């Protein structure tokens, strides 16, 4: 239901092949966090917590290709769909960044509120 | 049955869904309802999607009528055309039309479709600004076209492009303004979008991508032009707004039905009021609103089943898109975002302008984009909807149904072995199999050897696979492994790509990917930045830099730090500074409380810990004090270190400081294969460390020794002496020439040290000095390209350019949860 989805505005704010950021100033857990919203060159949208699983690099600043973003700090490749690091290096295997459920409707982007605020969807609704 | 006994069904909307729903009901139970249809349009039910051919002059209105008056009569349907319904009274179960006419209902069907979206810019209400939704719109456009002149279409989606096509067929000079970098970006990937753009431009349309409309300019109440935010202006006698549609939910909302983006319906197309159904573009089903006809047909079936007492239910639709522009074949369906688990299979045929891409996940086809040859579109769409297992036709899938029907591909090598000797292998250079095999037997035992000796696959590369098979068949294991390619997306080396960019005059990344048959749809993090540089270097002033293909430091014009903040290094010409600059830097450090400021190894100051949002403000302050970007972040000219030289030093032989400043003024801002560092020392004591720089000058009594290929970094390399000259002017000329040679010949991310070692100092000397004019020519090319490179990137950002790179999209604050504040207005 719509109440569970935050309207982030029109899709046209993010050009294909780029990302924009969405700071969350204190969620339900009062943790400040930043979310990166990506638009692939094919116009697909994905949202991840803006922290590389390697050393918290800001993924929003990486190069987007296919369904992947290459982290700006040490070039790990992160899947935009699953948040997993794609390399099979020692520390890459299993490394993963949280994905924020996102949907696009009638040209607008919606993020799942609970996830944005850092809560399991089951947790207390506001 | 008598009229009274019949239930009264009132339909609002005489369009595609409304009438199809009625047809479906009649087909099931003709006697069940007494039907009244209200239509705002003063005409019978017609095929809206055919308005495009009508605009294009390929069809008349008569040709696109679905149900003429006789249909209404034969089925005893009362048509109230040209009288829009103004309100629904749910308690009285009555609809009231504009004319005041009241019509009671037992069952109501809302099928009001959508309204075109109008971007809220000044001038949107001027005469001559039209939308593209119904026949009246078409009539307006045709009337305008008859007067000739120019048309601007805002919106490069399906609708906009079909409008543009129709208007240009009617002889208007058409400009399409699209806010995104890619046409039809919701249906096409970058590659197909580029092909489409190229074709439309070939047909004489002006296509402006990334164009953001600021204002529709008018005179005497009528539109005259459209102005973009970047100031560009395009003349217009008519402006067509085709930026999108909004479900027409007004009536439903006013009547208190549950409405979100569309009128909410269940799987039987029933709204929150059991007596009221809704169907078509005005509804929202399971969170989705549709803008195509195919889903309507499914909806109407489910609706009729329910309305006639055998409910089945609608489960949503998968949609596909075609563009109805004669001569352009284009198809897209499903999810083609690629990514993990998904395998992209790409087939490009530059000669025939074909791009095909299918996306496979877990042996199922999940998406397809076809350009130039859509014959297999419906087959792919079918596989996609049915979710069929394509495991055993995977290899053949991309070649289409006919091919796949022949079963999976045989082993490619034996297939090639079976070819006759005169079978053509390379179309571009007309090389037969016999010729290739002969070349291989004469000792060409690598792909590159074959390419250079008989030109097979040396042009577009689409026959690379065949040549490689021939190598394998002819030589077995003796095939030599080839020079490494630019990246995994291509079979070409850096040198191949640089050569072909010039030979085929390729001027855009998607064009390179298409013409050189890249195996990935949009390249990777290795090839995109390389191609961006190669194009920039090959076409100075012409090529438009692709920000998305740049590494973060170059996109942000600052060095990203481990904590995601940035460091800012303003240029200090030759290491010189003054109180004004130092004061400005001190002020910035305090104003933005930068945690650290440091003297760098490059003779300038580095301000650390600046947030991406603050960068433009920081730069504005530094600009105000006359400072520009130091490009400490770029594959570009970094620093020119100098020593004090003859002006102060008791050993100084020449004005090394002055020369260093002149050289930095000449070279700053130039993009290079890798970073490039220069130093000028006033005497052989070499206090500026000139002999570990990419280009180093050692001043001596008799003139200037010019050294190249030094590196003080990971692998220290002392420079080689390149040349000795007598005057400053000569020193600068050779410096410019050497840099240009490096820019034109080195591989991306190859510094001068490894480059000089790869090609050899003799090659560099020969290229510069064998022909007495060579230095002059290279230096001229360098200066020419510099005229486009030497505007300060910081100034552009400080003035608000690329704001989106620095601003957050929005911000979410703690409870209570108000939706985030948006940075942009809709579609703006
Ligand atoms: C700031 C500075 C260190 C300092 O505090 O002095 C510096 C800082 C960095 N250097 Fe450096 N280098 C700095 C002078 C040097 C020098 C000395 C010089 O230029 O005289 C060298 C050795 C000389 C040379 O380059 O040949 C140097 C050799 C490197 C290398 C190794 C290059 C190589 O070819 O081996 C790298 C890695 C690279 O570029 O790939 C590097 C990369 C970096 C990066 C950009 C690492 C990165 O990608 O983030 C550092 C950025 C920090 C930042 O945010 O500013 N830095 N770096 C110096 C800035 C100079 C300037 O004013 O622009
Ligand atoms: C130029 C053009 C080309 C298209 N091409 C394609 C294509 O190639 N493929 C594709 O799948 N789709 C295409 N479409 C989209 C397709 O036409 C729509 O999806 C389809 O028409 C939607 O049907 P509908 O009945 O929901 O809305 P409509 O067909 O718009 O019918 C709604 C009707 O309700 C009437 N109405 C609205 N409010 C009231 C009121 N208060 N009282 C009375 N009547 C009212 C309207 O006047 C309209 O006649 C195209 C659309 C256009 C405009
Ligand atoms: S030496 Fe290493 S750590 Fe120090 S600035 Fe250069 S790159 Fe960074
Ligand atoms: S922080 Fe992302 S790769 Fe290191």
């Amino acid at each position: 239901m719509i109440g569970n989805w935050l309207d982030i505005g029109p899709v046209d704010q993010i050009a294909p092949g780029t990302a924009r950021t969405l700071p969350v100033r204190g969620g339900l857990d009062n943790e400040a966090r930043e979310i990166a919203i990506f638009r692939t060159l094919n116009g697909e949208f994905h949202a991840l917590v803006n922290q590389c699983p390697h050393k918290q690099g800001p993924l929003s600043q990486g190069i987007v290709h296919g369904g992947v973003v290459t982290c700006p700090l040490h070039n790990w490749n992160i899947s935009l769909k699953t948040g997993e690091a794609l390399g099979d290096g020692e520390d890459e295997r299993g490394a993963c960044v949280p994905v924020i459920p996102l949907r696009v409707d009638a040209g607008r982007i919606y993020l799942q509120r609970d996830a944005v605020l850092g809560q399991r969807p089951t947790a207390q609704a506001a | 049955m008598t009229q009274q006994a019949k239930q009264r069904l009132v339909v609002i909307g005489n369009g595609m869904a409304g009438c199809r729903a009625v047809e479906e009901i009649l087909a099931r139970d003709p006697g069940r309802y007494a039907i009244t249809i209200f239509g705002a349009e003063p005409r019978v039910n017609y095929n809206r999607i055919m308005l495009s051919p009508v605009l294009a002059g390929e069809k008349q209105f008569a040709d696109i009528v679905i149900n003429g008056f006789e249909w209404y009569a034969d089925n005893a349907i009362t048509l109230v055309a040209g009288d829009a319904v103004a309100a629904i009274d749910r308690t009285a179960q009555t609809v009231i039309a504009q004319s005041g006419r009241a019509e009671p209902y037992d069952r109501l069907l809302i099928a009001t479709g959508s309204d075109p979206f109008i971007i809220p810019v000044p001038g949107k209400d001027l005469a001559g600004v039209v939308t593209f939704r119904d026949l009246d719109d078409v009539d307006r456009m045709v009337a305008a076209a008859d007067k000739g002149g120019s048309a601007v279409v805002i919106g490069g989606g399906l609708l906009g492009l079909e409008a543009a096509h129709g208007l240009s067929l009617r002889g208007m000079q058409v400009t399409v303004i699209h806010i995104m970098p890619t046409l039809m970006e919701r249906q096409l990937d970058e590659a197909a979008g580029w092909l489409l753009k190229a074709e439309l431009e070939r047909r004489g349309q002006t296509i402006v991508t990334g164009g953001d409309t600021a204002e529709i300019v008018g005179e005497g109440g009528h539109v005259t032009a459209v102005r973009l935010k970047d100031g560009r202006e395009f003349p217009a006698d008519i402006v067509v707004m085709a930026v999108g549609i909004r479900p027409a939910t007004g009536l439903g909302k006013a009547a208190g039905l549950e409405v979100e983006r569309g009128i909410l319906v269940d799987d039987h197309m029933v709204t929150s009021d059991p007596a009221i159904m809704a169907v078509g573009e005005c509804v929202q089903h399971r969170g989705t609103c549709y803008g195509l006809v195919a889903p309507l047909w499914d909806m109407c079936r489910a609706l009729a089943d329910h309305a006639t007492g055998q409910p089945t239910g609608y489960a949503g639709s998968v949609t596909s898109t075609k563009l109805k522009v004669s001569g352009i074949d284009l198809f897209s369906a499903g999810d083609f975002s690629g990514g993990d688990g998904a395998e992209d299979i790409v087939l490009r045929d530059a000669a025939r302008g074909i791009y095909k891409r299918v996306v496979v996940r877990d042996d199922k086809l999940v998406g397809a984009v076809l350009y130039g040859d859509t014959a297999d579109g419906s087959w792919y769409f079918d596989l996609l909807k049915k979710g069929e297992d394509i495991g055993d036709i995977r290899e053949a899938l991309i070649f289409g149904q006919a091919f796949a029907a022949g079963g999976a591909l045989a082993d490619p090598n034996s297939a090639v072995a079976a070819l006759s000797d005169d079978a053509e292998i390379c179309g571009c250079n007309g090389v037969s199999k016999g010729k290739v095999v002969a070349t291989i037997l004469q000792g060409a035992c690598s792909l590159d050897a074959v390419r250079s000796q008989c030109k097979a696959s040396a042009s577009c590369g689409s026959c690379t696979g065949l040549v490689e098979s021939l190598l394998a068949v002819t030589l077995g294991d003796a095939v030599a492994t080839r020079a490494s390619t630019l990246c995994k997306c291509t079979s070409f080396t850096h040198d191949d790509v640089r050569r072909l960019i010039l030979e085929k005059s390729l001027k855009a990344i998607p064009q390179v990917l298409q013409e050189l048959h890249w195996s990935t749809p949009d390249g990777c993090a290795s090839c995109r930045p390389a191609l961006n540089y190669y194009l920039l270097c090959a076409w100075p002033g012409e090529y438009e830099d692709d920000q998305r293909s740049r590494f973060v430091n170059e996109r942000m014009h600052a060095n990203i730090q481990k904590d995601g903040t940035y460091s800012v290094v303003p240029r200090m010409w030759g290491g010189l500074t003054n109180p004004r600059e130092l004061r400005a830097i001190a002020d910035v450090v305090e104003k933005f409380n930068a945690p650290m400021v440091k003297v760098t190894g490059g003779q300038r100051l580095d301000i650390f810990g600046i947030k991406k949002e603050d960068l433009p403000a920081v730069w504005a302050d530094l600009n105000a004090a006359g400072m520009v970007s130091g490009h400490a972040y770029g594959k570009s000219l970094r620093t020119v270190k100098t020593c004090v030289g003859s002006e102060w030093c008791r050993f100084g032989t020449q004005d090394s400081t002055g020369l260093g400043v002149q050289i930095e003024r000449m070279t700053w801002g130039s993009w290079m294969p890798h970073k490039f560092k220069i130093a000028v020392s006033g005497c052989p004591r070499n206090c500026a460390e000139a002999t570990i720089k990419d280009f180093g000058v050692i001043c001596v009594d008799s003139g200037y020794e010019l050294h190249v290929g030094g590196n003080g970094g990971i692998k220290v390399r002392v420079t080689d002496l390149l040349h000795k000259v007598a005057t400053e002017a000569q020193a600068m000329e050779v410096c410019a020439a050497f840099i240009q040679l490096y820019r034109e010949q080195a591989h991306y991310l190859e510094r001068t040290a490894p480059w000089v070692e790869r090609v050899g100092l003799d090659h560099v000397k020969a290229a510069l000095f064998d022909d007495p004019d060579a230095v002059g020519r290279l230096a001229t090319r360098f200066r020419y390209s510099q005229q486009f490179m030497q505007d300060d990137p910081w100034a552009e950002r400080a003035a608000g350019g690329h704001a989106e790179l620095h601003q957050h999209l929005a911000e979410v604050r703690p409870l209570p949860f108000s939706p985030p504040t948006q940075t942009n207005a809709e579609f703006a």
Side-chain angles (χ1 to χ4, degrees), chain B residues 385-713:
Chain B
K385 277 188 302 188
K386 296 211 184 87
E388 296 206 358
D389 186 310
I390 49 88
D392 47 2
I393 55 167
R394 188 195 197 86
E395 270 59 43
L397 191 61
I398 193 71
F399 300 103
Q401 184 168 24
F403 201 95
L409 276 178
D411 155 36
N413 288 356
S414 49
V416 174
L419 290 172
S420 68
D421 267 3
D422 50 20
E424 185 175 80
I425 297 295
C426 173
C428 301
N429 302 304
V431 187
S432 68
K433 175 187 170 188
K435 183 104 188 295
V436 176
V437 174
T439 314
I440 295 173
L441 293 174
Q442 285 153 26
C445 53
S446 74
L447 180 62
D448 295 317
V450 173
R451 279 179 175 168
S452 58
Q453 290 171 38
C454 73
K455 294 277 159 289
S457 85
S459 295
C460 80
S462 58
C463 60
T464 303
L466 293 174
V467 174
E468 279 171 333
S469 297
L470 283 174
L471 279 159
V473 174
T474 326
L475 298 175
D477 307 340
V479 182
T481 49
R482 42 197 316 264
S484 63
T485 61
L486 189 153
C487 74
K488 63 172 176 22
C489 308
T490 176
S491 67
F492 285 114
T493 63
H494 284 267
D495 297 325
D496 294 332
V497 172
R498 296 203 79 165
R499 173 177 51 82
L500 290 162
I501 283 176
L502 294 168
E503 269 177 31
K504 297 166 155 278
S505 70
L506 307 176
K507 301 191 176 178
I509 288 178
Q511 189 183 15
V512 175
L513 304 189
Q514 175 70 10
E515 296 294 318
L516 303 189
H517 295 82
W518 239 242
S519 64
T520 48
D522 53 29
C524 69
S526 305
C527 55
R528 289 192 74 95
L531 293 176
N532 191 55
Y533 168 72
Y534 291 155
L535 289 163
L536 197 78
C537 177
W539 313 111
E542 256 184 277
Y543 174 66
E544 201 179 312
D545 200 316
D546 179 16
Q547 290 293 312
R548 299 164 305 174
S549 299
R550 286 196 173 271
F551 293 116
V552 55
N553 285 2
E554 295 184 348
R555 210 181 319 121
M556 302 302 286
H557 293 287
N559 295 81
I560 193 164
Q561 307 294 313
K562 56 191 282 191
D563 66 354
T565 65
Y566 292 83
S567 75
V568 173
V569 184
R571 209 164 272 291
M572 284 184 179
W573 308 96
L576 300 179
T577 184
N578 58 45
R580 179 152 175 259
E581 292 180 351
L582 293 172
R583 233 176 250 113
I585 291 175
D587 291 343
V588 162
V589 172
E590 280 177 355
K591 180 166 164 192
F592 298 89
N593 45 57
M596 173 162 105
V597 56
K598 180 184 180 304
V599 176
T600 74
Q603 295 188 343
R604 42 197 195 168
L605 291 166
D606 193 343
I607 307 165
F608 285 86
I610 303 294
K611 289 200 220 59
K612 81 175 179 200
E613 307 86 286
D614 291 338
L615 285 171
V618 168
W619 293 332
D621 291 0
L622 295 172
N623 281 160
M627 280 177 282
V628 298
S629 165
H631 294 85
Y633 48 79
K635 308 298 174 222
S636 60
L637 189 274
R638 291 285 178 93
T639 60
V640 179
K641 286 168 88 165
T642 68
C643 71
V644 287
S646 56
E647 216 185 332
W648 302 92
C649 177
R650 60 200 167 112
F651 296 113
T653 61
Q654 313 279 356
D655 176 11
S656 51
T657 325
L659 177 58
V661 173
Q662 285 184 66
I663 290 179
E664 189 161 3
R665 295 256 175 218
M666 171 179 76
T667 53
W668 76 279
S670 66
W671 294 110
M672 310 260 198
H674 203 314
K675 61 188 183 188
F676 195 98
K677 297 174 176 182
I678 300 178
V680 185
S681 289
C683 83
R685 290 168 190 75
N686 190 15
C687 300
E689 299 163 332
T691 50
I692 52 163
K693 294 291 173 256
D694 297 275
F695 187 88
V697 181
I698 306 276
C699 303
V700 291
D701 292 319
S702 55
Y704 306 82
E705 290 174 7
L706 310 179
H707 300 257
V708 298
N711 187 309

Side-chain angles (χ1 to χ4, degrees), chain B residues 117-260:
Chain B
F117 182 79
I118 309 285
I119 46 174
V121 290
K124 65 180 168 53
D125 302 321
L126 287 166
V129 180
V130 304
T131 56
F132 190 12
R133 183 69 192 181
D134 61 26
L135 188 69
D136 304 329
D137 296 326
V138 174
D139 294 340
R140 279 185 212 101
M141 286 190 253
V142 173
D146 291 344
K147 293 203 217 73
S150 32
V152 170
V153 176
I154 303 178
L158 271 172
L159 215 54
L161 294 181
E162 291 186 5
H165 174 64
L167 290 168
S168 52
L169 279 188
R170 290 187 180 267
M172 294 196 91
Q173 194 49 50
V174 178
T175 303
V176 177
I177 293 171
H178 190 49
I179 190 158
M180 289 283 119
T182 307
L183 288 175
M184 289 178 63
E185 78 282 353
R186 286 181 197 147
Q187 293 87 11
L188 298 183
D189 61 14
E190 193 195 22
W194 177 81
L195 284 166
L196 175 59
K197 180 167 184 273
E199 171 59 19
L200 294 174
E201 286 169 339
R202 207 187 51 71
R203 295 177 173 207
Q205 296 184 26
T206 308
I207 309 291
V208 181
T209 47
D212 197 349
T213 305
E215 176 182 3
I216 300 174
V217 187
E219 204 177 281
H222 194 283
V223 48
T224 57
V226 172
R227 183 158 72 251
L228 304 188
K229 292 205 173 133
D230 63 18
R232 280 181 292 174
E233 201 166 294
F234 299 91
D237 302 293
I238 180 173
V239 173
V240 183
M241 281 249 192
V243 295
I245 52 170
R246 288 288 188 71
T249 57
L251 281 176
K253 255 205 204 85
L257 298 176
E258 267 185 41
V259 173
E260 281 171 13

Side-chain angles (χ1 to χ4, degrees), chain A residues 51-59 71-78:
Chain A
Q51 283 188 345
C52 178
H54 180 218
K55 293 184 176 177
Q56 291 76 47
L59 296 171
C71 178
L73 291 197
H74 318 98
N75 302 329
W76 277 25
N77 282 317
I78 309 297

